[in-house]
Amino acid sequence: MRLSSLLVLSLLTLSSVAQDRTIRLMTYNLLNYRNTTSYCTGSNNSSSSKEGHLETIIDEIAPHAVVLNEIGSNPNNLTYLLNNAFNTGTTTHWAMANHVHNGFSSLVNGVAYRNDILGIANQWAITKDADNNSLVRAIDIVRFYYKDALLQGNSDTATFVVIGAHFKAGNTSSDAAERNKAATAIIDWIDAHNFDNIFLLGDLNTYTSNEASFQSLIGGNSFRFEDPITSNGNWHNNSSFASIHTQSTRTSGNCHSGGGLDDRFDHILCSEEVIEGDAQITYSPNSYFAVGNDGNHFNNAINSGTNYSVSSAVLSALYALSDHLPVIIDVEIEGQQLAIESHEGDWTLPNPMQPGTTVSLPLNSRLIISNLAGQQLFETTETHFQVPILSKGTYLLQLKSEYGQTTRKIIF
């Protein structure tokens, strides 16, 4: 039997050699979006103005999944956000996870996501604490999968869980106790499920890392979250943490809280395997930011003096929209390479392929690239060739040799 007869079966295979793609997660408290209170009204907290400001922020930050807090409980409000802040102009790739409500709260969360990049595998809600009493607000849980064009289904692609939460506000012992009930309910839910790559995003309203709720999240025996920036301490009104404070954007206001930046209320926490990169998704170091916080506005408004951490348009939008700042992190999704086994040794093609890159081809082979309709766009038999310039998208790559031929999808 010729050696080549085995190669026909495994000429082109998918291996787990990393070729990372970046996903950006974001959390943002919108401050009573379409929710009227005695201090937040249509005149000092215009929903249409908020939508325009959020559009500006999303356009510049370019996240892929966003947890939004403080949305009025009417389900239509998610649609308003989607149509007026995300899918604007020619943009159509944003979707919202299902509306979640505990039946009595005036506020809900929203989870927006790029549906050209991510899909929803499952969705849940936590509305009760360990004693079956109602939490102050419902907690959203969405399990996403990464839409990998190379895979025929979704069973082998990277998945991650986003938990969106808005804990009880206030600095009393009873407020802290309510926060801990929510934190404990989250850990209990995680313990009851078997998922990797878990992220908690939201307004946790914690004043210090020693608070019971935060310790329940990061100090558990069965499961614990990691703070990507490992910044434990007393965050409240402490200049040592000036660069990570998220409230308030201004020193005074009616609907908006005042006091300047002096609290770390908004967080993104992640499970241990995200930090270690053990399950296809890895936290990108130094990517955690409180957007609009340059570290030089402790106890001051974010637009006081100079602040070059974002564009002037986004700085104005952040100041006007909410008294909170968004928080973002980037994670790397482990991709694939197309790997070929041959009598010359292993051979791999980068995937996605970058135009202009020089690639080596096994001897006596022919490589053909076609569009998904089968129209041939490129062909070569050269041992070394440059990847052609093609529009971004998914194509068919065909390799022919004396041993047979195989076709796979590849991304440009």
Side-chain angles (χ1 to χ4, degrees), residues 76-119:
N76 292 331
N77 292 337
L78 298 185
T79 303
Y80 289 131
L81 276 174
L82 194 63
N83 293 340
N84 299 323
F86 288 92
N87 286 332
T88 58
T90 59
T91 301
T92 60
H93 54 229
W94 283 97
M96 282 279 184
N98 292 336
H99 177 264
V100 170
H101 190 220
N102 63 3
F104 62 87
S105 175
S106 62
L107 296 172
V108 299
N109 306 310
V111 182
Y113 65 99
R114 287 274 303 268
N115 63 5
D116 58 331
I117 304 294
L118 304 172

Side-chain angles (χ1 to χ4, degrees), residues 165-340:
H166 182 192
F167 289 1
K168 178 72 170 64
N171 203 13
T172 68
S173 58
S174 61
D175 295 329
E178 289 296 334
R179 288 194 286 271
N180 193 37
K181 290 176 183 179
T184 302
I186 289 171
I187 298 300
D188 288 345
W189 186 93
I190 294 172
D191 286 342
H193 295 77
N194 187 29
F195 295 130
D196 292 321
N197 302 322
I198 303 175
F199 298 87
L200 173 59
L201 292 81
D203 178 1
L204 306 186
N205 274 312
T206 45
Y207 291 85
T208 168
S209 62
N210 290 325
E211 187 176 313
S213 62
F214 201 76
Q215 285 301 308
S216 292
L217 295 171
I218 68 169
N221 295 321
S222 54
F223 173 90
R224 62 177 179 269
F225 282 103
E226 302 279 346
D227 180 359
I229 53 176
T230 316
S231 296
N232 291 333
N234 179 15
W235 303 309
H236 175 61
N237 203 30
N238 187 338
S239 61
S240 298
F241 298 101
S243 63
I244 62 173
H245 286 149
T246 64
Q247 200 204 45
S248 172
T249 58
R250 57 184 66 200
T251 54
S252 62
N254 296 318
C255 175
H256 299 64
S257 297
L261 284 175
D262 60 4
D263 279 303
R264 187 193 184 192
F265 286 157
D266 307 271
H267 295 257
I268 299 180
L269 306 178
C270 53
S271 53
E272 185 177 8
E273 65 271 8
V274 174
I275 300 297
E276 301 296 331
D278 293 334
Q280 295 184 275
I281 295 179
T282 308
Y283 166 66
S284 182
N286 303 314
S287 68
Y288 186 109
F289 289 109
V291 179
N293 184 345
D294 64 352
N296 298 316
H297 286 76
F298 175 65
N299 275 336
N300 215 334
I302 60 170
N303 61 357
S304 175
T306 59
N307 183 342
Y308 301 119
S309 62
V310 291
S311 69
S312 58
V314 168
L315 189 68
S316 296
L318 291 170
Y319 179 83
L321 195 156
S322 176
D323 50 13
H324 290 253
L325 291 176
V327 175
I328 60 170
I329 66 166
D330 290 344
V331 296
E332 304 300 328
I333 306 289
E334 183 179 286
Q336 307 289 328
Q337 286 184 338
L338 294 174
I340 295 177

